[in-house]
Amino acid sequence: MADLRFSYELLQNLIDTFKDVKGVFEGYGSSTVGSIGSDDPVAHHHADAVKGQEDQLMSAMVTALGNAQEGSQAVFDDFKATDGAGEGK
């Protein structure tokens, strides 16, 4: 059976991507939304509803990315320890 060799640096960079993307979504989620440019109360009602849905989506995305980063980091750390303190390349 062929030996498997891992680049721990590359794997860690991939895991860190979850954290980076989470930060982007956190920034986007906290950004302000401009006016809808209409005095129509129906337009304002729908704009508020859409904004509420967008906020829920952003919150869920941030949570999912955080969970993915934490979970994959834990698995990576355990694997690295089992593999002999990260001696693989």
Side-chain angles (χ1 to χ4, degrees):
M1 180 173 253
D3 289 337
L4 293 177
R5 300 204 180 265
F6 294 94
S7 170
Y8 287 102
E9 182 180 356
L10 176 61
L11 292 172
Q12 185 63 59
N13 287 340
L14 291 171
I15 292 168
D16 290 343
T17 300
F18 287 120
K19 182 173 60 175
D20 297 340
V21 174
K22 177 185 172 192
V24 169
F25 276 95
E26 286 173 329
Y28 178 74
S30 66
S31 66
T32 58
V33 175
S35 170
I36 64 166
S38 173
D39 293 328
D40 182 358
V42 174
H44 281 279
H45 168 75
H46 289 293
D48 290 342
V50 168
K51 178 62 177 152
Q53 292 296 313
E54 181 184 42
D55 290 345
Q56 289 179 1
L57 178 63
M58 290 299 111
S59 177
M61 181 64 73
V62 166
T63 298
L65 288 166
N67 291 341
Q69 190 267 330
E70 291 171 10
S72 60
Q73 187 67 61
V75 170
F76 172 77
D77 292 343
D78 288 346
F79 177 80
K80 190 173 176 181
T82 300
D83 188 41
E87 294 175 10
K89 289 284 178 189

